[in-house]
């Protein structure tokens, strides 16, 4: 299953980010806690070189708690400030302001020595499509400042948002990179919904998810669908899910594609439980 998706507007967005970066004190990068490494755009490291860095492990409520703790330590070991959040839950955002201050303490101290007091910290909020940037900004600001949606590509251009006297945020469109050298990265991004579903074969995607769940979270499919999966192929299990959930075509044949979409929706919404698709101890961890 070869997955590539890089719409033309992303090239324009990357150029705009590069131009705006000269105005920025801190880069806040949102990643999906279920795939913290695969959901990092490697171009951000180049664009944000020399800037203070902060990672928000978003959707941590959907991820395996033990794995999320290990990922937080992994980023901290690399000198990156980290906060685990659920962008829809304001209670998880309480640490963000203090960590921003900590990440920018050298800038604040440098301003103080120059006699510049209370200059707002200017931050750029970056991340791949559908990782929750706009939802985070709206929750953090306490009002609707940015457009949101449950599909990639809602934010189209850069937008400055002044939160208070001490902090300004620049919302940016979600951008990927031109080519996934490792197809496992493309697969994981497709599973979490960061690739346009219209270009994907959902049946094959569901098979890949089933193989991963059998290997790493074997109890999930039996608990959710009442299925015995030991020794069974992914395609057969998907047919069983179609049967259990009464996904039928006219004439009574199984609607496997509908069952595939249902399984993917359940995973993305956290209805299968808290699942992480990759480990910090094994950066090349395979799905399947």
């Amino acid at each position: 299953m070869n997955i590539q998706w890089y719409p033309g507007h992303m090239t324009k967005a990357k150029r705009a980010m590069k131009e705006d970066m000269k105005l920025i004190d801190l880069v806040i990068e949102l990643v999906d806690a279920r795939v913290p490494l695969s959901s990092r755009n490697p171009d951000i490291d180049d664009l944000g070189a020399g800037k203070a860095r902060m990672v928000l492990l978003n959707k941590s409520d959907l991820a395996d708690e033990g794995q999320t703790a290990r990922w937080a330590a992994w980023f901290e070991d690399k000198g990156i400030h980290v906060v685990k959040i659920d962008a829809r839950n304001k209670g998880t955002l309480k640490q963000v302001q203090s960590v921003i201050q900590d990440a920018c303490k050298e800038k604040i101290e440098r301003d103080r020595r120059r006699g510049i007091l209370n200059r707002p910290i200017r931050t750029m909020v970056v991340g791949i499509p559908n990782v929750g940037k706009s939802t985070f900004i709206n929750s953090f600001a306490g009002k609707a400042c940015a457009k949101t949606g449950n599909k990639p590509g809602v934010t189209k251009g850069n937008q400055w948002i002044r939160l208070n006297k001490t902090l300004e945020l620049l919302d940016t469109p979600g951008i990927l990179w031109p080519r996934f050298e490792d197809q496992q990265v493309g697969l994981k991004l497709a599973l979490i919904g960061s690739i346009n579903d219209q270009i994907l074969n959902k049946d094959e995607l569901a098979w890949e998810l089933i193989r991963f769940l059998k290997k790493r979270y074997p109890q999930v499919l039996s608990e959710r669908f009442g299925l015995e999966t030991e020794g069974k192929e992914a395609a057969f299990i998907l047919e069983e899910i179609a049967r259990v959930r009464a996904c039928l075509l006219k004439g009574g044949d199984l609607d496997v594609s509908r069952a595939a979409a249902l399984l993917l929706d359940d995973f993305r919404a956290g209805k299968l439980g808290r699942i992480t698709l990759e480990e910090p101890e094994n950066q090349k961890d395979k799905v399947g």
Side-chain angles (χ1 to χ4, degrees):
M1 188 175 185
N2 190 289
I3 299 171
Q4 300 293 343
W5 186 55
Y6 191 70
H9 75 270
M10 291 189 182
T11 300
K12 181 180 179 181
K14 182 180 174 181
R15 283 198 300 264
M17 288 170 62
K18 185 176 182 179
E19 183 64 26
D20 287 330
M21 194 65 74
K22 65 185 72 172
L23 307 172
I24 298 301
D25 302 307
L26 170 69
V27 177
I28 298 178
E29 181 180 8
L30 270 79
V31 302
D32 191 305
R34 296 167 295 180
V35 286
L37 193 61
S38 293
S39 59
R40 293 195 76 206
N41 185 336
D43 291 343
I44 299 302
D45 286 335
D46 293 331
L47 289 171
K51 303 293 182 180
R53 299 293 299 276
M54 180 173 172
V55 162
L56 301 181
L57 287 163
N58 192 28
K59 305 186 182 182
S60 59
D61 58 308
L62 304 179
D64 184 316
E65 288 182 275
Q67 295 287 11
T68 301
R70 286 189 279 276
W71 274 111
W74 187 88
F75 283 112
E76 287 166 353
D77 285 345
K78 290 171 172 43
I80 299 174
H81 294 76
V82 183
V83 183
K84 295 172 283 187
I85 68 167
D86 166 11
R88 301 164 300 175
N89 181 350
K90 293 181 182 179
T92 67
L93 305 183
K94 293 178 181 178
Q95 292 182 64
V96 174
Q97 182 72 53
S98 62
V99 176
I100 288 174
Q101 296 294 317
D102 189 40
C104 294
K105 60 185 178 183
E106 290 183 9
K107 174 262 177 194
I108 295 169
E109 178 60 25
R110 190 166 58 248
D111 281 354
R112 189 190 64 78
R113 289 196 301 267
R114 295 173 179 171
I116 304 171
L117 301 178
N118 300 322
R119 183 172 73 84
I121 295 170
R122 300 189 116 190
T123 71
M124 180 182 285
V125 182
V126 301
I128 66 170
N130 206 31
V131 80
K133 296 183 306 302
S134 297
T135 300
F136 159 69
I137 288 172
N138 291 341
S139 295
F140 195 45
K143 57 184 177 181
C145 303
K147 291 182 180 179
T148 63
N150 62 356
K151 61 181 181 180
V154 174
T155 302
K156 297 296 185 183
N158 292 4
Q159 176 187 2
W160 277 105
I161 298 162
R162 186 178 179 89
L163 264 64
N164 51 51
K165 292 180 179 179
T166 64
L167 184 62
E168 294 178 356
L169 300 181
L170 179 60
D171 187 16
T172 63
I175 61 168
L176 294 168
W177 50 108
R179 184 170 183 81
F180 303 133
E181 297 298 334
D182 182 355
Q183 275 298 297
Q184 287 294 313
V185 171
L187 171 59
K188 292 170 187 174
L189 296 185
L191 285 171
I192 65 170
S194 288
I195 305 291
N196 188 340
D197 275 339
Q198 293 180 352
I199 71 165
L200 301 171
N201 183 320
K202 284 193 172 182
D203 292 11
E204 291 185 19
L205 200 58
W207 295 340
E208 294 285 0
L209 178 59
I210 288 168
R211 292 184 188 111
F212 174 80
L213 293 173
K214 281 186 64 183
K215 179 181 177 183
R216 297 296 305 280
Y217 298 90
Q219 78 287 356
V220 164
L221 293 171
S222 61
E223 291 176 355
R224 181 67 176 168
F225 301 106
L227 299 177
E228 176 54 55
T229 61
E230 185 67 31
K232 296 178 181 177
E233 295 293 325
F236 180 82
I237 294 171
L238 186 57
E239 290 177 358
E240 289 289 288
I241 292 173
R243 188 173 288 110
V244 168
R245 288 303 171 91
C247 298
L248 303 174
L249 298 165
K250 288 183 179 179
D253 291 337
L254 295 175
D255 189 345
V256 175
S257 293
R258 184 178 157 205
L262 182 150
L263 177 64
L264 292 170
D265 287 346
D266 277 2
F267 165 68
R268 292 169 181 173
K271 293 179 181 178
L272 300 182
R274 302 179 71 147
I275 293 168
T276 297
L277 299 179
E278 59 190 9
E279 301 177 348
E281 295 86 355
N282 182 8
Q283 294 180 30
K284 294 184 179 180
D285 186 42
K286 302 295 184 183
V287 174

